[in-house]
Amino acid sequence: MWEVFYSSNFVHEFLLERYKQEGREDAEKKSYNNCYPFMYYLQHGKKFYDTAHEAPLAIKPVLLFYGNVQLLKACLLTIHPDYPESSSVLAHGVSTRKRKKQNYDFFKDEVKIQKHGLFTYFSEKMFHVKHVYGEKFSMGQLLRQIEELSPLFDLYLFDLYFKQRNEQNKHIHEIVAHYLLLYNLSMICRYETEWWYDLLHSYSNDAYPFIVQFLDVTERKVPRYLYHYLLHSKKDQD
């Protein structure tokens, strides 16, 4: 589906219209300079997703996270021609505790928002949402944002737990939830290998079906959503 953006002539015109709409006097220059970076972000992201589709479950989170990152960078170039204007926006923008405590509960594990980085940058630029520095999101809260996982929550009777913890029920944009979940899963995959392989092979943890189904959903859903995000941007110009 990305092939429409694999023409430098088309992309140049596409970006030029976008930048003119932004009122940029340097629209011609910026559209020319960003043409190939835009295409390369998309192509690199697609390669991550294609590889993830064929990869074993054990390494899928890393591939899907970095595929997501590349597609987000392409989207950012359509609305902010100066990206990346500083090195501070290149970091992931979130952090998590690398060493998990005894009796670790994946659903209660949290990621914390950093002051600078890609997360805060794309959240604000693409979805006009400002996240507070130090704000935390639990994995259970984030998984609840994925519509396709609702039947699993109903089946496992987790609704009561999350209703009792009102702070876990606040709504965030689904693409934000995908990014944060993939970030933490990629970190677990890389740095918590023992717990990760226990999860994959013992089948004794309630988190297993949620993680497996989420990875299947995000592999299909995020590229499709971001593709339509780009098309919607083009449609707005017509």
Side-chain angles (χ1 to χ4, degrees):
M1 61 182 176
W2 298 105
E3 286 75 12
V4 66
F5 293 110
Y6 289 175
S7 163
S8 60
N9 290 333
F10 174 84
V11 170
H12 175 260
E13 291 299 322
F14 172 72
L15 294 177
L16 179 61
E17 291 181 13
R18 286 292 291 159
Y19 298 165
K20 284 182 176 178
Q21 191 177 38
E22 296 286 330
R24 294 291 297 244
E25 294 182 359
D26 58 351
E28 180 68 40
K29 177 182 177 181
K30 284 293 184 179
S31 60
Y32 177 80
N33 290 343
N34 289 337
C35 177
Y36 282 96
F38 174 84
M39 290 192 294
Y40 294 158
Y41 284 145
L42 289 183
Q43 291 175 18
H44 204 41
K46 183 178 185 299
K47 288 181 186 300
F48 274 115
Y49 276 97
D50 288 345
T51 304
H53 183 69
E54 302 296 333
L57 181 62
I59 61 173
K60 271 183 183 289
V62 176
L63 296 168
L64 292 174
F65 175 69
Y66 284 107
N68 186 12
V69 166
Q70 296 299 315
L71 297 187
L72 287 170
K73 288 179 178 180
C75 290
L76 283 169
L77 272 185
T78 68
I79 58 176
H80 198 64
D82 296 319
Y83 175 81
E85 60 266 49
S86 71
S87 58
S88 65
V89 302
L90 297 176
H92 297 319
V94 287
S95 63
T96 186
R97 186 184 299 109
K98 288 185 180 180
R99 298 301 302 173
K100 307 305 181 185
K101 297 179 179 179
Q102 192 173 8
N103 301 320
Y104 168 71
D105 185 340
F106 176 77
F107 295 101
K108 296 180 181 178
D109 194 12
E110 294 178 323
V111 291
K112 183 170 71 172
I113 308 308
Q114 299 300 302
K115 190 172 183 179
H116 301 291
L118 179 62
F119 175 76
T120 51
Y121 194 89
F122 86 76
S123 296
E124 182 176 348
K125 298 296 183 183
M126 293 175 62
F127 306 120
H128 313 292
V129 176
K130 290 187 177 181
H131 290 281
V132 180
Y133 169 59
E135 186 177 8
K136 294 181 179 180
F137 295 93
S138 75
M139 296 301 100
Q141 173 196 347
L142 295 171
L143 288 168
R144 283 300 267 145
Q145 308 301 315
I146 314 301
E147 180 181 358
E148 291 84 351
L149 300 187
S150 294
L152 266 183
F153 276 98
D154 294 338
L155 182 64
Y156 278 75
L157 303 178
F158 285 170
D159 278 343
L160 179 61
Y161 168 74
F162 288 105
K163 287 175 182 176
Q164 290 173 337
R165 294 174 56 87
N166 292 331
E167 71 275 15
Q168 301 289 359
N169 292 325
K170 57 184 178 180
H171 178 74
I172 61 174
H173 195 285
E174 186 176 345
I175 292 299
V176 168
H178 281 266
Y179 181 90
L180 294 176
L181 283 163
L182 285 173
Y183 169 79
N184 198 32
L185 284 170
S186 71
M187 294 293 283
I188 291 172
C189 174
R190 284 178 285 172
Y191 298 110
E192 297 294 330
T193 309
E194 183 178 355
W195 183 88
W196 181 240
Y197 272 81
D198 281 345
L199 173 82
L200 297 181
H201 297 303
S202 69
Y203 306 105
S204 60
N205 193 311
D206 285 344
Y208 178 83
F210 287 86
I211 291 173
V212 172
Q213 186 162 337
F214 165 72
L215 291 174
D216 178 65
V217 169
T218 194
E219 181 183 333
R220 294 179 286 105
K221 194 170 189 178
V222 169
R224 186 168 64 246
Y225 178 93
L226 294 180
Y227 175 73
H228 286 293
Y229 178 92
L230 293 175
L231 290 186
H232 182 69
S233 297
K234 180 66 171 67
K235 184 178 179 180
D236 284 345
Q237 304 164 35
D238 296 333

